[in-house]
Amino acid sequence: MGKVLIINIIRFIVLIASQVFLLKNIGYYNLSIPYLYILFILLLPFGIPNILLFLLAFFTGITIDIFYDTLGLNAAACTVLAFVRIVFINLTVQRDGFDNEPDPSLGIMGFRWFVFYAVILTFFHHLILFSFESFKFSEMGYTLVRVLSSTLFTVLLMLITEFAFFSKKVRK
Amino acid sequence: MRNLWLFISKYNAFFLLIIFFVTSLIILVKNNNYQRASVWNSSNQVVGTAYERVNEFSSYLILGKINDSLALENSRLRNQLSSSFRNDSVKQVLVNDTNLVQQYTYTVAKVINNSIHQKNNYITINRGQKHGIKKGMGVISSTGIVGIILNVSENFATIRSLLHTETKVSANVSGNIGSLVWGEDNFDPRYAELKDIQSHLAIKKGARVSTSEFSLFPEGSNIGFVSRIGTRKGDNSLDIQVKLDTDFSKLQYVYVINNLLSREQLELEAQNKTE
């Protein structure tokens, strides 16, 4: 339990730092922007209570918002992300009998499941994020293009990150 | 109550979503200028549209009242318009000369109604009895003679234009006197006929035609010039067409001639008839 807590704290700090200091400056012409920090919410353990999950998601979003100067925007997106995560895990994990696994990482859950999981959750997060950022219906098409391209970018970075720590987790 | 609690705890994720999401949205709208402005703008737009509709409807109901007030305002403004005021000032210039006694004074008048295409044309001017206009006075323009005062009211007078079948003006061409008429053969407002000039007289084309001393116009007032000379069949007088100096279609200001001695002349001539 203590180990999980420490791992998650370190993960949180590293992801937030890389998001704020590195990925904030990376993007393809405001069209494709990576938000890798949501990997923290994605990788929280299966057994986490809903209320704690929401609080952590909200807190993560607010932390990013403080650095991005968009107070409440990432928090809203992360809250939705937490809800989608609960629904998605309820629909897939219970049916497949993975309930005893500690956390939904690539090494434990397999490549197919993880890609599916990451794409769905990232898509909803980015959808909320970009639509509330533009905050108007008239730019719907542009917003959707941004959502899709950013989802692609974020998921790509997630897979790279996961593969980088892949062997380590298998060994564990 | 227990069922409600069970329901909430069963779908706790959804209620937590609502709580956290609404909280984030409130923070978002409160703290970000762009989103706040958008929210206010759109809500203002909704409220504004509603008000506009209601206003449209209610303004339709008081249309009659608005109409009345507008008509009232219109008439008030019209009263202030400069065109509502008449210029009643009349300038008459009298020259005091010991050798010469002034016979004619001129009163300027503005043409307010004019016709040139009728068989008998009349002109109305904005001077009347009040300004000393009397029946029978001559009227000239800056270019030539115009006509004779026919009827006078208090503020207006009508002129029997030169373009009238009954207007006859005694005219002088190269020292020969004839009478100028219009409307016997031609109805062109630019030309008039000069009659009673003997056929043996040598009248040249282009000769000036002016009023004679017998007319009620000052002697030598411009009429026009001879534009065509022909012979009249069965008559020993010339058929002379006169191009008029006055452009009747563009008449704007005219001068009414007051012959100061006409009364004396008429009185004297009236004695002849009684004797």
Side-chain angles (χ1 to χ4, degrees):
Chain A
M1 188 62 198
K3 200 181 164 192
V4 171
L5 192 69
I6 290 164
I7 285 174
N8 274 301
I9 286 170
I10 292 168
R11 195 185 279 148
F12 177 79
I13 291 167
V14 170
L15 282 174
I16 295 285
S18 64
Q19 177 68 44
V20 168
F21 299 121
L22 181 67
L23 296 177
K24 195 184 175 186
N25 307 313
I26 295 174
Y28 184 73
Y29 295 117
N30 212 15
L31 199 65
S32 181
I33 304 156
Y35 286 99
L36 186 62
Y37 74 95
I38 58 169
L39 188 62
F40 168 73
I41 302 162
L42 261 65
L43 293 181
L44 284 170
F46 280 123
I48 190 167
N50 284 347
I51 179 84
L52 186 61
L53 177 63
F54 272 108
L55 274 173
L56 281 175
F58 186 78
F59 178 67
T60 313
I62 284 287
T63 311
I64 292 293
D65 278 332
I66 287 165
F67 286 104
Y68 270 67
D69 237 352
T70 54
L71 212 62
L73 185 64
N74 280 289
C78 286
T79 314
V80 171
L81 173 65
F83 180 72
V84 176
R85 185 195 131 113
I86 291 165
V87 171
F88 188 86
I89 288 175
N90 275 345
L91 287 177
T92 57
V93 176
Q94 269 182 354
R95 195 180 57 195
D96 296 338
F98 284 118
D99 214 9
N100 53 346
E101 298 298 336
D103 58 1
S105 64
L106 179 65
I108 293 159
M109 300 302 293
F111 183 76
R112 264 181 64 190
W113 185 87
F114 185 79
V115 169
F116 196 39
Y117 175 70
V119 167
I120 294 290
L121 267 65
T122 309
F123 174 76
F124 276 99
H125 173 269
H126 286 11
L127 183 68
I128 298 296
L129 186 73
F130 287 118
S131 50
F132 277 91
E133 191 184 15
S134 78
F135 218 69
K136 51 178 84 158
F137 292 111
S138 53
E139 289 176 359
M140 207 67 143
Y142 177 60
T143 303
L144 267 177
V145 170
R146 286 182 77 192
V147 167
L148 292 174
S149 54
S150 297
T151 303
L152 205 70
F153 199 169
T154 306
V155 170
L156 198 71
L157 283 176
M158 277 177 183
L159 291 177
I160 290 169
T161 314
E162 279 295 283
F163 276 119
F165 297 101
F166 183 73
S167 55
K168 206 173 158 187
K169 291 219 167 168
V170 159
R171 249 186 274 138
K172 206 164 47 185
Chain B
M1 192 64 205
R2 197 172 149 271
N3 284 339
L4 182 69
W5 185 248
L6 275 175
F7 175 74
I8 289 172
S9 60
K10 192 179 176 189
Y11 297 103
N12 63 346
F14 180 69
F15 289 103
L16 285 169
L17 168 74
I18 288 175
I19 291 165
F20 280 100
F21 191 64
V22 168
T23 312
S24 333
L25 282 192
I26 290 167
I27 293 170
L28 175 70
V29 171
K30 276 209 159 203
N31 291 294
N32 294 283
N33 285 331
Y34 171 68
Q35 274 84 358
R36 186 174 54 220
S38 303
V39 168
W40 278 112
N41 281 351
S42 47
S43 61
N44 280 353
Q45 206 165 336
V46 170
V47 172
T49 312
Y51 268 125
E52 197 185 344
R53 286 287 146 76
V54 171
N55 216 12
E56 218 168 78
F57 182 70
S58 58
S59 71
Y60 186 75
L61 291 178
I62 56 165
L63 220 54
K65 228 179 256 178
I66 288 171
N67 239 352
D68 290 348
S69 76
L70 281 179
L72 213 68
E73 191 182 6
N74 254 353
S75 66
R76 193 166 55 77
L77 291 175
R78 219 172 259 277
N79 284 339
Q80 291 175 1
L81 226 56
S82 65
S83 61
S84 309
F85 296 96
R86 284 175 62 87
N87 187 2
D88 257 357
S89 65
V90 175
K91 222 182 217 170
Q92 283 181 335
V93 183
L94 271 168
V95 180
N96 289 318
D97 194 309
T98 45
N99 276 341
L100 300 168
V101 177
Q102 182 159 19
Q103 191 184 355
Y104 300 104
T105 60
Y106 295 86
T107 305
V108 69
K110 192 175 189 317
V111 173
I112 55 174
N113 193 11
N114 188 12
S115 71
I116 54 170
H117 296 297
Q118 306 296 313
K119 192 181 172 190
N120 294 315
N121 295 291
Y122 299 94
I123 300 165
T124 311
I125 56 172
N126 67 344
R127 296 279 184 256
Q129 266 167 358
K130 225 165 139 181
H131 313 99
I133 309 295
K134 290 191 189 76
K135 192 175 174 176
M137 283 180 174
V139 181
I140 62 167
S141 73
S142 53
T143 47
I145 64 166
V146 171
I148 298 156
I149 297 286
L150 182 66
N151 286 309
V152 186
S153 72
E154 188 161 348
N155 289 310
F156 300 102
T158 52
I159 300 167
R160 192 170 66 202
S161 166
L162 189 65
L163 312 178
H164 190 287
T165 47
E166 284 176 28
T167 308
K168 279 199 172 85
V169 178
S170 177
N172 180 347
V173 54
S174 316
N176 307 294
I177 292 167
S179 65
L180 190 79
V181 294
W182 181 84
E184 286 196 352
D185 302 316
N186 79 312
F187 291 98
D188 191 330
R190 290 173 298 171
Y191 298 98
E193 303 280 329
L194 187 59
K195 288 169 74 178
D196 303 332
I197 302 287
Q198 298 295 308
S199 54
H200 66 271
L201 294 171
I203 306 295
K204 280 181 187 135
K205 200 171 167 182
R208 284 234 53 96
V209 181
S210 54
T211 54
S212 71
E213 63 266 42
F214 303 137
S215 73
L216 66 161
F217 297 96
E219 189 187 348
S221 296
N222 284 335
I223 296 174
F225 55 87
V226 174
S227 60
R228 184 166 56 79
I229 305 167
T231 47
R232 208 181 283 270
K233 277 179 184 169
D235 198 346
N236 62 342
S237 65
L238 286 169
D239 179 19
I240 300 174
Q241 191 183 48
V242 179
K243 170 87 171 69
L244 296 171
D245 281 341
T246 307
D247 187 352
F248 283 85
S249 62
K250 287 177 186 160
L251 219 53
Q252 285 285 323
Y253 285 95
V254 294
Y255 302 93
V256 181
I257 303 159
N258 183 14
N259 188 349
L260 298 174
L261 303 176
S262 68
R263 190 159 149 252
E264 192 184 333
Q265 188 185 344
L266 285 170
E267 275 174 8
L268 182 68
E269 284 168 5
Q271 281 178 14
N272 295 343
K273 287 176 185 166
T274 53
E275 277 172 4

